[in-house]
Amino acid sequence: QVQLVESGGGSVQEGGSLRLSCTADSFTYSSNCLGWLRQAPGKEREGVAAIYTRGGRAYYATAVKGRFTISQDNAKNTVYLQMNSLRPDDTAAYLCVAGLREEDCISSLQDLGFMTYFEGKLRAQGTQVTVSS
C-alpha cells in the first residue's frame, strides 16, 4: 500500500528545535524525492526541503537554508527534517510529499519549482509546527 506516515512537530519557543519524520512504503521510498512543504494561515503553500533517497542530494528553500537539515535512514524508509533556530514565521502545517521515483528528481524540482514538481503527488496528513516569540 502506497502511503506516507508523518510524525513530529509541536510547539517551541523561538530559537528552539524540532524534528519531523516521514516514513514511506518501500516502493515510494526507493530512488525517489521525498520532502516537505508547509502551509501557514493566510499564506500560499511553499516548499521547504527535499532529498533524493538514492544518493542523498538535497534541496532547501532559501528561507530555511542553514537552519533546517533533511536526512534519510534507508533501513527505516524514513526521511527526517531537523529544524533548528526556529522562528515564528516557520509556524505552519508541514506536509511530507513524495515524487514519482524519477531519476535526478532534485534537478527536475529545481527546474520546475518545488510546488509545481510535487503538484498532485502523494502527501502525508500534515503536522503542525508552532513557534512562539
Side-chain angles (χ1 to χ4, degrees):
Q1 183 178 355
V2 176
Q3 62 177 357
L4 296 172
V5 179
E6 190 172 9
S7 62
S11 298
V12 294
Q13 295 279 355
E14 184 173 6
S17 298
L18 287 171
R19 189 177 80 160
L20 306 182
S21 301
C22 180
T23 300
D25 61 278
S26 297
F27 181 80
T28 300
Y29 182 87
S30 178
S31 299
N32 202 358
C33 266
L34 276 71
W36 275 269
L37 59 86
R38 66 186 181 185
Q39 171 110 63
K43 296 184 180 179
E44 291 188 0
R45 284 181 174 175
E46 62 176 352
V48 177
I51 189 168
Y52 181 42
T53 58
R54 183 182 178 186
R57 186 182 176 194
Y59 161 91
Y60 295 96
T62 300
V64 306
K65 274 183 183 177
R67 301 188 298 121
F68 292 11
T69 302
I70 191 167
S71 61
Q72 63 189 102
D73 185 335
N74 293 339
K76 297 180 179 180
N77 291 345
T78 299
V79 295
Y80 302 97
L81 185 68
Q82 178 66 42
M83 304 183 292
N84 298 330
S85 301
L86 283 162
R87 309 185 303 219
D89 61 1
D90 293 316
T91 295
Y94 284 70
L95 291 84
C96 179
V97 292
L100 293 178
R101 306 181 73 237
E102 173 192 1
E103 192 169 347
D104 199 17
C105 51
I106 294 294
S107 293
S108 296
L109 184 158
Q110 290 173 326
D111 290 341
L112 293 172
F114 190 105
M115 294 307 300
T116 299
Y117 183 82
F118 283 110
E119 180 70 30
K121 305 298 192 299
L122 183 65
R123 294 179 179 178
Q125 76 280 6
T127 188
Q128 181 66 32
V129 171
T130 302
V131 185
S132 56
S133 57

